[in-house]
């Protein structure tokens, strides 16, 4: 707190503004000056920030204080940075209390404040606390946050975290009359048991493709009639994927924190599995909205995005995934901001071969077959399909398949092979920044995925016969590298190229 030349009291509290997964420093400057009584918030606030005046006024009244009958001006600096969200309530209240001489200015300077205020003075949860804690750690500051989000903030490391349940308790802590105990980091959620591959009868080719997809992080499309087990096999995928590393869990938790989906400060080591309905809008899938929020493709970061009934999604919505699938990030452009979220996902899609779903079965297919199949599948664009590494036709399950005993192998056995293949990739790409074969690119792709002479000849012949695009060519190399990893081979051979080609969709001829 300081006095300007006209003896007006000015106090400053620190907070952050969120732009994607980036937290930017914001100063909350509060001035109490003589004049017509007013409470003004400036600095490009959105509606939620502008309404904080009433929440702050009521919260201060709830602890037995009243605002001075003066002109109160709150400036959020830098003024050209958009300010969105309710987490500005607490820093505005603390800056105002500092300008009133109730909070020591030196104490305020050591902390970063985030949190929404209730009308009764409670400090309630707001999205993004984990990002704020990491930002505070980088700037050697402590963090004041809502009590229920203290375990979340504690994951940031050794910073001082004050998890305040209400404004009065926070003031007592600053005055030393009642100390708030530091929170412990939240617990790691236990693995949630899902469907097991032992429940899938038959479908050996599809299960093999699912194992390859899991081992290399590849995109996969199941195409088959209703009831063939496409959705069940997709739901089995999390059970055969390796757990997130500590660094990956922090990445995933940061996205969940910004979206307000991190409950109780608990980090999740199981990879996310998101399955949006086919009526999802573009903003819901890739992010956006009035307040830019991460979409399903970002909430599935380092996990699985499952799109069931793929052709039923709006074509423009599906095509909006083309850039995230290629780059691993999604950029949402607005007139006043450009926000980037991570989106390194594994896409698993499922579709029927035609609208009736029974193409090839003369007793069940509609009268428009096979024309209906061409029309239905054309709803998914060629460039979108080109980004899917493995295309698998799933046959209908017969009654004879259903009465068979359960398969000898379940998810645990498959997961062991997948983890072994992932370990080989982790060792191979340790110094490159890549995680899986599906991400590798550039000169490294030519180095680690190069097939032997017999494999090279087969791939060259297939590229001509199947009219492969350059993207399709490189994706076959990546899949072949994963098949070799599953077999424990250091080099890609002809047999690995041949199996990778069997999963590739052939371009239609004009």
């Amino acid at each position: 707190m300081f006095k300007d030349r006209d003896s007006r009291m000015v106090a400053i509290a620190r907070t952050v503004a969120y732009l994607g997964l980036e937290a930017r420093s914001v100063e909350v400057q509060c001035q109490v000056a003589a004049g017509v009584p007013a409470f003004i918030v400036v600095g490009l606030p959105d509606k939620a920030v502008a309404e904080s005046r009433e929440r702050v006024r009521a919260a201060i009244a709830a602890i037995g204080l009243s605002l001075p009958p003066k002109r109160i001006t709150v400036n959020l600096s830098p003024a050209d940075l958009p300010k969105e969200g309710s987490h500005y309530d607490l820093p505005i209240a603390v800056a105002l209390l500092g300008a009133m001489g109730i909070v020591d200015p030196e104490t305020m300077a050591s902390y970063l404040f985030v949190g929404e205020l209730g009308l009764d003075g409670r400090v309630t949860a707001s999205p993004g606390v984990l990002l704020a804690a990491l930002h505070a750690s980088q700037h050697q500051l402590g963090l004041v946050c809502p009590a229920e989000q203290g375990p979340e903030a504690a994951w940031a490391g050794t910073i001082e975290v004050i998890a305040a349940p209400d404004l009065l308790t926070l003031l007592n802590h600053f005055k030393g009359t009642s100390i708030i105990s530091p929170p412990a980091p939240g617990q790691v959620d236990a693995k949630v048991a899902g469907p097991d591959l032992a429940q899938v009868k038959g479908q050996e080719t599809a299960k093999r493709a699912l194992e390859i997809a899991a081992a290399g992080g590849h995109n996969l499309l199941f195409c088959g009639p209703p009831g063939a087990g496409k959705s069940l096999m997709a739901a089995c995928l999390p059970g055969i994927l390796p757990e997130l590393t500590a660094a990956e869990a922090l990445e995933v938790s940061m996205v969940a924190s910004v979206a307000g989906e991190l409950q109780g400060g608990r980090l999740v080591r199981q990879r996310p599995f998101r399955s949006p309905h086919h009526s999802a809008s573009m903003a819901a899938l890739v992010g956006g909205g009035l307040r830019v929020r991460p979409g399903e493709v970002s909430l599935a970061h380092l996990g699985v995005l499952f799109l069931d009934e793929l052709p039923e999604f709006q074509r423009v919505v599906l095509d909006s995934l083309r850039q995230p699938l290629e780059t691993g990030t999604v950029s949402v452009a607005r007139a006043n901001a450009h926000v980037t979220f991570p989106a390194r996902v594994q896409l698993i899609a499922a579709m029927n071969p035609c609208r009736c779903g029974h193409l090839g079965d003369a007793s069940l297919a509609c009268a428009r077959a096979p024309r209906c199949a061409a029309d239905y599948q054309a709803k998914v664009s060629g460039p979108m399909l080109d980004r899917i590494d493995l295309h698998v036709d799933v046959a209908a399950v017969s009654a004879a398949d259903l009465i068979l005993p359960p398969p000898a192998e379940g998810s645990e056995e498959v997961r062991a092979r997948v983890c072994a293949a992932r370990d080989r990739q982790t060792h191979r790409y340790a110094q490159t920044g890549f995680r899986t074969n599906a991400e590798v690119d550039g000169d490294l792709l030519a180095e680690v995925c190069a097939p032997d002479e017999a494999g090279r000849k087969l791939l060259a012949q297939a590229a001509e016969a199947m009219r492969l695009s350059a993207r399709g060519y490189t994706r076959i190399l990546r899949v072949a590298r994963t098949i070799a990893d599953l077999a424990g081979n250091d080099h890609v051979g002809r047999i690995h190229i041949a199996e990778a080609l069997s999963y590739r969709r052939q371009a239609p001829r004009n």
Side-chain angles (χ1 to χ4, degrees):
M1 181 174 66
F2 61 89
K3 292 183 180 181
D4 63 15
R5 62 183 182 181
D6 295 325
S7 298
R8 292 175 291 195
M9 308 305 293
V10 178
I12 296 174
R14 299 173 184 269
T15 187
V16 291
Y18 303 119
L19 286 180
L21 293 192
E22 179 187 1
R24 295 193 184 180
S25 298
V26 172
E27 276 192 359
V28 179
Q29 305 162 358
C30 183
Q31 179 192 75
V32 178
V36 177
F39 192 164
I40 303 169
V41 179
V42 297
L44 213 57
D46 74 342
K47 185 69 172 175
V49 182
E51 290 174 345
S52 67
R53 295 173 300 177
E54 303 308 319
R55 292 191 294 271
V56 169
R57 190 193 305 274
I60 290 179
I63 62 175
L65 300 174
S66 60
L67 299 185
K70 296 183 178 181
R71 185 175 183 84
I72 301 171
T73 304
V74 174
N75 178 43
L76 307 177
S77 176
D80 61 344
L81 180 67
K83 318 298 188 309
E84 298 177 343
S86 59
H87 67 278
Y88 292 96
D89 289 3
L90 183 59
I92 289 174
V94 171
L96 177 54
L97 291 171
M100 294 165 59
I102 297 171
V103 178
D104 179 51
E106 292 185 4
T107 301
M108 292 167 51
S110 303
Y111 294 95
L112 188 148
F113 300 84
V114 290
E116 179 182 332
L117 288 177
L119 299 183
D120 56 357
R122 286 178 298 115
V123 183
T124 59
S126 62
V129 165
L130 181 57
L131 269 71
L134 294 171
H135 182 85
S137 178
Q138 293 171 1
H139 292 80
Q140 289 78 50
L141 297 171
L143 178 74
V144 179
C145 68
E148 60 190 283
Q149 293 180 298
E152 176 182 339
W155 283 108
T158 58
I159 68 168
E160 180 187 0
V161 176
I162 301 175
D166 53 66
L167 195 55
L168 182 59
T169 304
L170 178 61
L171 294 182
N172 290 335
H173 176 87
F174 283 155
K175 292 180 181 295
T177 58
S178 177
I179 303 301
I180 300 174
S181 300
Q187 299 298 314
V188 176
D189 275 351
K191 184 176 180 180
V192 179
D196 194 286
L197 280 175
Q199 299 173 234
V200 181
K201 302 291 184 69
Q203 309 297 9
E204 297 305 321
T205 300
K207 288 192 285 188
R208 169 64 174 171
L210 192 69
E211 179 180 341
I212 295 170
H218 303 289
N219 302 327
L220 170 65
L221 172 64
F222 288 129
C223 181
K230 305 185 294 295
S231 299
L232 174 60
M233 286 187 286
C236 291
L237 183 56
I240 63 175
L241 288 172
E243 289 186 348
L244 295 166
T245 64
E248 289 174 338
L250 191 59
E251 280 187 59
V252 172
S253 298
M254 288 169 65
V255 179
S257 178
V258 169
E261 295 191 1
L262 201 60
Q263 301 297 325
R266 296 190 299 270
L267 295 192
V268 181
R269 296 298 289 270
Q270 189 172 0
R271 296 182 183 274
F273 182 86
R274 307 290 296 194
S275 180
H277 190 260
H278 57 74
S279 62
S281 66
M282 185 184 299
L285 204 58
V286 300
L290 184 60
R291 287 184 57 200
V292 179
R293 302 289 295 275
E296 292 291 330
V297 71
S298 295
L299 293 170
H301 178 56
L302 299 181
V304 179
L305 178 65
F306 176 47
L307 302 184
D308 201 4
E309 307 296 345
L310 187 68
E312 300 298 336
F313 283 82
Q314 298 178 49
R315 183 164 183 165
V316 66
V317 173
L318 281 183
D319 285 343
S320 68
L321 291 176
R322 285 157 53 177
Q323 181 252 351
L325 290 178
E326 200 71 24
T327 64
T329 60
V330 57
S331 297
V332 181
R334 293 291 183 267
N336 58 358
H338 190 90
V339 180
T340 300
F341 294 107
R344 181 63 66 185
V345 301
Q346 184 175 356
L347 175 67
I348 306 297
M351 62 181 288
N352 296 329
C354 59
R355 184 169 293 280
C356 72
H358 298 287
L359 183 71
D361 188 335
S363 62
L364 296 174
C366 67
R368 295 188 63 244
R371 180 63 183 174
C372 68
D375 293 343
Y376 190 68
Q377 296 181 25
K379 296 173 71 174
V380 184
S381 68
M384 180 67 188
L385 291 173
D386 201 36
R387 286 166 167 80
I388 299 179
D389 304 333
L390 299 104
H391 298 249
V392 181
D393 289 328
V394 182
V397 179
S398 66
D401 293 324
L402 294 176
I403 62 176
L404 291 174
E409 279 192 344
S411 292
E412 281 303 316
E413 292 79 8
V414 176
R415 185 175 185 274
R417 293 195 296 268
V418 168
C419 290
R422 286 284 185 114
D423 288 343
R424 295 174 67 89
Q425 294 166 56
T426 299
H427 177 74
R428 181 187 302 132
Y429 305 129
Q431 306 300 323
T432 65
F434 297 119
R435 293 184 175 96
T436 61
N437 291 328
E439 299 176 22
V440 67
D441 205 352
D443 294 338
L444 187 61
L445 173 71
E447 177 184 343
V448 303
C449 299
D452 59 18
E453 185 61 29
R456 189 178 298 109
K457 288 182 179 178
L458 175 62
L459 183 56
Q461 295 169 0
E464 179 66 25
M466 299 173 67
R467 302 167 65 190
L468 294 176
S469 66
R471 181 185 292 111
Y473 183 92
T474 58
R475 287 181 180 268
I476 285 175
L477 287 176
R478 293 169 180 165
V479 173
R481 176 68 268 174
T482 299
I483 295 171
D485 286 339
L486 283 169
N489 294 338
D490 293 329
H491 302 287
V492 178
R494 187 179 189 277
I495 189 172
H496 308 130
I497 294 291
E499 185 174 1
L501 286 168
S502 70
Y503 298 119
R504 191 67 194 172
R505 174 180 177 271
Q506 187 169 353
R509 294 190 177 275
N510 297 326

